[in-house]
Amino acid sequence: MLITDDFLPVPVPESLTATYLVPTSGPADPAPADAVAALGGRLSGPVHDLARQMLDSPLMTVDTRPIAEFPHLPPDLLTAFGATDTQLARLDAATDLVVVQASYRPGWPPAHEWAARTVASAVAESLGADVVDVFALQFLDPAAALRSLPDAEGRVRLIDWVLVPYSSDDGGLWFTTKGLRRFGLLELQAQGVPTHLTRAWGAVMTGVARRLLRAWTDGLADSEVPAFVQLPVVTSVTGHDIAVAYGNPQQHDTTGPAALRLELDPATDPDADSFLTLLPPTDHPGPAGRYFAAVCAALFGATAQSDVRYARPDDAMARAITTARDGLPGIRERFLAGSLPEGVQLLVKYGLPTDEGPEFVWAGVTSWTTPERIVGASASDATADPTVRVGQPVVVDAVDVVDWALLDGSGVIEGGWTQAVLDAGDRSQR
């Protein structure tokens, strides 16, 4: 294998497996072949044929198991990735799981994912149940999951398969993808992204993922699976890449290209995941964040920070913050009524302004007499504000709150949605 400074050899796994769950209550016959047949014209011909072929082969299994035999599905993480109270209640009441698994070699089409999602969604519709995508820890509406499958020409929206969660770190925002490993490719990451570019950089990451996934699958086109695929060290992304990834190819967006450099970031722990890190070109002076801002300006114009055309309502962290904020009135009412369990402390997470964006800290609530103003004691030391120290009194504006949690001696017993997203990112690297 020829290795040059222009290409990065990325290892290829021998096989890939997709797993989907359908929670049920009481005995149920999934009848997967009949369920797929009942979908009729809602499936493209190629997808229907693929699902039937996989069902008839040893590459796919459909089993019904008692839910107690399957690893626990954490409700906090499911909530962080979009689960509703109704879906969680149905999961809690379920006695069994229909487990749909499919395995296939890396390449295009990703037969394991297409077929497993098809069968699981068909079974869920026939049983009036939900679908859980184990890879993303997401509930999927069966009808929406079926719409995410390829059309007759094999086209899909990449945003239905790859998420871009983000979190804060000392140097800005840390973005990762969650979904490229479905296809055998390492996930992407970028660090030090300016906080005002949250939406714009999420779109950039999605466009880069689309560009690299094409190069990846082109490298897997031979009949024999190679040990490595060589990806270009310097990759480019255009507005068209982003438009196609979001399912809007009709925009014919010709902005860009913007160049980004790839670097392999291998895990130091053998059980952790490696990443492909996005960086500025080697000849770029100054911090990475400045270059990332220039990339966004090239792709979206000067208004990138506030006018990005590719909304991403399903980002895990954004949904976590929305869930927490929606629950503020209710948790305040419980706090004031004294109805919280004995020995439980209410904490809120809020942002302190800095030149590089907010620094997020926690505070224990001691008084909340008006909805807009929370009085408490800091639960952590702040880097940006030397007056914010553990145990010191703080006053928090409710508009700055991004999360809340109930804490007892064992840890978080309710809330903590943003922390659950951060913990999920940490686990993905182990």
Side-chain angles (χ1 to χ4, degrees):
M1 178 181 64
L2 179 63
I3 300 177
T4 72
D5 292 339
D6 296 330
F7 291 92
L8 188 68
V10 179
V12 180
E14 293 182 1
S15 65
L16 301 170
T17 300
T19 304
Y20 291 83
L21 308 176
V22 180
T24 65
S25 298
D29 180 8
D34 293 341
V36 171
L39 295 175
R42 295 170 61 193
L43 287 178
S44 67
V47 172
H48 181 273
D49 292 344
L50 175 62
R52 294 300 298 268
Q53 291 168 8
M54 292 284 277
L55 271 172
D56 292 337
S57 78
L59 297 174
M60 175 178 282
T61 59
V62 182
D63 300 316
T64 301
R65 308 179 194 170
I67 197 168
E69 294 183 2
F70 203 85
H72 178 65
L73 295 173
D76 283 351
L77 282 178
L78 289 168
T79 299
F81 284 93
T84 65
D85 290 341
T86 302
Q87 290 169 328
L88 291 173
R90 286 197 291 262
L91 177 63
D92 189 56
T95 59
D96 298 279
L97 292 173
V98 180
V99 182
V100 180
Q101 284 190 315
S103 299
Y104 202 65
R105 54 161 279 175
W108 200 267
H112 59 299
E113 283 287 352
W114 289 180
R117 184 172 287 198
T118 298
V119 172
S121 301
V123 168
E125 279 207 347
S126 70
L127 299 177
D130 302 304
V131 178
V132 178
D133 175 4
V134 172
F135 178 88
L137 270 181
Q138 273 191 309
F139 275 91
L140 302 177
D141 172 73
L146 290 169
R147 290 194 297 271
S148 73
L149 293 162
D151 61 17
E153 298 181 20
R155 296 173 298 195
V156 296
R157 298 192 321 164
L158 191 61
I159 60 169
D160 292 328
W161 299 89
V162 177
L163 304 176
V164 186
Y166 61 90
S167 60
S168 296
D169 60 24
D170 293 340
L173 295 177
W174 173 40
F175 280 78
T176 63
T177 59
K178 187 173 178 62
L180 290 177
R181 282 195 294 113
R182 296 181 190 272
F183 311 105
L185 182 57
L186 298 179
E187 302 290 359
L188 301 177
Q189 71 172 356
Q191 295 174 296
V193 179
T195 55
H196 69 279
L197 298 176
T198 302
R199 293 178 64 200
W201 191 256
V204 171
M205 291 277 287
T206 306
V208 174
R210 185 253 178 183
R211 175 65 68 98
L212 290 177
L213 187 57
R214 287 195 63 182
W216 175 254
T217 53
D218 286 347
L220 297 171
D222 293 340
S223 57
E224 295 293 329
V225 177
F228 295 87
V229 166
Q230 295 201 74
L231 296 179
V233 168
V234 177
T235 188
S236 60
V237 60
T238 66
H240 181 68
D241 290 318
I242 299 170
V244 172
Y246 279 78
N248 300 315
Q250 67 275 10
Q251 287 188 356
H252 295 290
D253 198 329
T254 57
T255 56
L260 288 159
R261 179 167 57 92
L262 283 181
E263 185 175 280
L264 180 61
D265 186 10
T268 56
D269 185 331
D271 295 326
D273 293 324
S274 300
F275 280 94
L276 292 173
T277 300
L278 294 178
L279 299 165
T282 54
D283 59 355
H284 171 72
R290 185 183 304 164
Y291 185 79
F292 295 156
V295 168
C296 293
L299 291 169
F300 307 113
T303 58
Q305 62 269 33
S306 60
D307 184 25
V308 178
R309 291 158 291 173
Y310 307 101
R312 182 119 203 168
D314 57 346
D315 275 344
M317 186 59 73
R319 291 201 312 273
I321 293 172
T322 298
T323 300
R325 285 176 169 165
D326 288 346
L328 280 177
I331 196 60
R332 174 177 178 265
E333 182 178 340
R334 291 163 60 190
F335 174 80
L336 294 175
S339 61
L340 300 180
E342 186 176 353
V344 167
Q345 183 182 20
L346 171 62
L347 293 92
V348 293
K349 184 180 184 180
Y350 64 102
L352 293 170
T354 75
D355 291 340
E356 289 77 32
E359 176 188 359
F360 294 101
V361 292
W362 288 90
V365 178
T366 57
S367 175
W368 200 347
T369 55
T370 63
E372 301 82 10
R373 191 168 180 264
I374 305 168
V375 179
S378 183
S380 53
D381 292 339
T383 302
D385 188 342
T387 67
V388 178
R389 291 293 179 264
V390 173
Q392 293 297 310
V394 292
V395 178
V396 179
D397 289 334
V399 294
D400 295 328
V401 173
V402 297
D403 203 354
W404 57 266
L406 295 182
L407 191 71
D408 68 5
S410 64
V412 175
I413 61 172
E414 186 178 347
W417 293 276
T418 62
Q419 192 61 45
V421 174
L422 295 175
D423 292 343
D426 290 342
R427 278 195 291 275
S428 71
Q429 297 181 71
R430 295 174 188 162

Coordinates of all heavy atoms in Angstrom, one line a residue, residues 31-40 43 47-48 51-52 55 118-119 122-123:
A31 N -43.7 -11.4 13.1 CA -43.9 -11.8 11.7 C -43.2 -10.8 10.8 O -43.9 -10.1 10.0 CB -45.4 -11.8 11.4
P32 N -41.9 -10.7 10.8 CA -41.2 -9.7 10.0 C -41.5 -9.7 8.5 O -41.6 -8.6 7.9 CB -39.8 -9.9 10.4 CG -39.7 -11.3 10.9 CD -41.0 -11.6 11.5
A33 N -41.5 -10.9 7.9 CA -41.7 -10.9 6.5 C -43.1 -10.3 6.1 O -43.2 -9.6 5.1 CB -41.6 -12.3 6.0
D34 N -44.1 -10.7 6.9 CA -45.5 -10.1 6.6 C -45.5 -8.6 6.9 O -46.2 -7.9 6.1 CB -46.5 -10.8 7.5 CG -46.7 -12.3 7.2 OD1 -46.3 -12.7 6.1 OD2 -47.2 -13.1 8.1
A35 N -44.8 -8.2 7.9 CA -44.8 -6.7 8.2 C -44.1 -5.9 7.1 O -44.6 -4.9 6.7 CB -44.1 -6.5 9.5
V36 N -43.0 -6.5 6.5 CA -42.4 -5.8 5.4 C -43.3 -5.8 4.2 O -43.4 -4.8 3.5 CB -41.0 -6.4 5.1 CG1 -40.4 -5.9 3.9 CG2 -40.0 -6.2 6.3
A37 N -43.9 -6.9 3.9 CA -44.8 -7.0 2.8 C -45.9 -6.0 2.9 O -46.4 -5.5 1.9 CB -45.3 -8.4 2.6
A38 N -46.4 -5.8 4.1 CA -47.6 -4.9 4.3 C -47.2 -3.4 4.0 O -48.1 -2.6 3.8 CB -48.1 -5.0 5.7
L39 N -45.9 -3.1 3.9 CA -45.5 -1.7 3.6 C -45.8 -1.3 2.2 O -46.0 -0.1 1.9 CB -44.1 -1.5 3.9 CG -43.6 -1.6 5.4 CD1 -42.1 -1.5 5.5 CD2 -44.3 -0.6 6.3
G40 N -45.9 -2.3 1.3 CA -46.3 -2.1 -0.1 C -45.4 -1.0 -0.7 O -44.2 -1.0 -0.6
L43 N -42.1 1.6 0.4 CA -40.6 1.3 0.3 C -40.2 1.3 -1.2 O -41.0 0.9 -2.0 CB -40.3 -0.1 0.9 CG -40.3 -0.3 2.4 CD1 -40.0 -1.8 2.7 CD2 -39.3 0.6 3.1
V47 N -34.9 -1.2 -1.7 CA -34.9 -1.4 -0.2 C -35.8 -2.6 0.2 O -35.4 -3.4 1.1 CB -35.4 -0.1 0.5 CG1 -35.6 -0.4 2.0 CG2 -34.4 1.0 0.3
H48 N -37.0 -2.7 -0.4 CA -37.8 -3.8 -0.2 C -37.1 -5.2 -0.5 O -37.1 -6.1 0.3 CB -39.1 -3.7 -1.0 CG -40.1 -4.8 -0.7 ND1 -40.0 -6.0 -1.5 CD2 -41.1 -4.9 0.1 CE1 -41.0 -6.8 -1.0 NE2 -41.7 -6.2 -0.1
A51 N -34.4 -5.9 2.1 CA -34.9 -6.4 3.4 C -35.3 -7.8 3.3 O -35.0 -8.6 4.2 CB -36.0 -5.5 3.8
R52 N -36.0 -8.2 2.3 CA -36.5 -9.6 2.1 C -35.3 -10.5 2.0 O -35.3 -11.6 2.5 CB -37.4 -9.7 0.9 CG -38.7 -8.9 1.0 CD -39.5 -9.5 2.2 NE -39.9 -10.8 2.0 CZ -41.0 -11.3 1.5 NH1 -41.9 -10.4 1.0 NH2 -41.3 -12.6 1.4
L55 N -33.6 -10.9 5.3 CA -34.5 -11.8 6.2 C -34.3 -13.2 5.9 O -34.4 -14.1 6.8 CB -35.9 -11.4 6.1 CG -36.4 -10.2 7.0 CD1 -37.8 -9.8 6.6 CD2 -36.4 -10.7 8.5
T118 N -35.4 -1.1 8.2 CA -36.7 -1.4 7.5 C -37.5 -2.4 8.2 O -38.7 -2.2 8.5 CB -36.3 -2.0 6.1 OG1 -35.7 -1.0 5.3 CG2 -37.6 -2.4 5.3
V119 N -36.9 -3.5 8.6 CA -37.6 -4.6 9.3 C -38.1 -4.1 10.7 O -39.2 -4.4 11.1 CB -36.7 -5.8 9.4 CG1 -37.4 -6.9 10.3 CG2 -36.4 -6.4 8.1
A122 N -41.0 -1.8 10.2 CA -42.2 -2.5 9.8 C -42.8 -3.3 10.9 O -44.1 -3.3 11.1 CB -41.8 -3.5 8.6
V123 N -42.0 -3.9 11.7 CA -42.5 -4.7 12.9 C -43.2 -3.7 13.9 O -44.2 -4.0 14.4 CB -41.4 -5.5 13.5 CG1 -41.8 -6.0 14.9 CG2 -40.9 -6.6 12.6

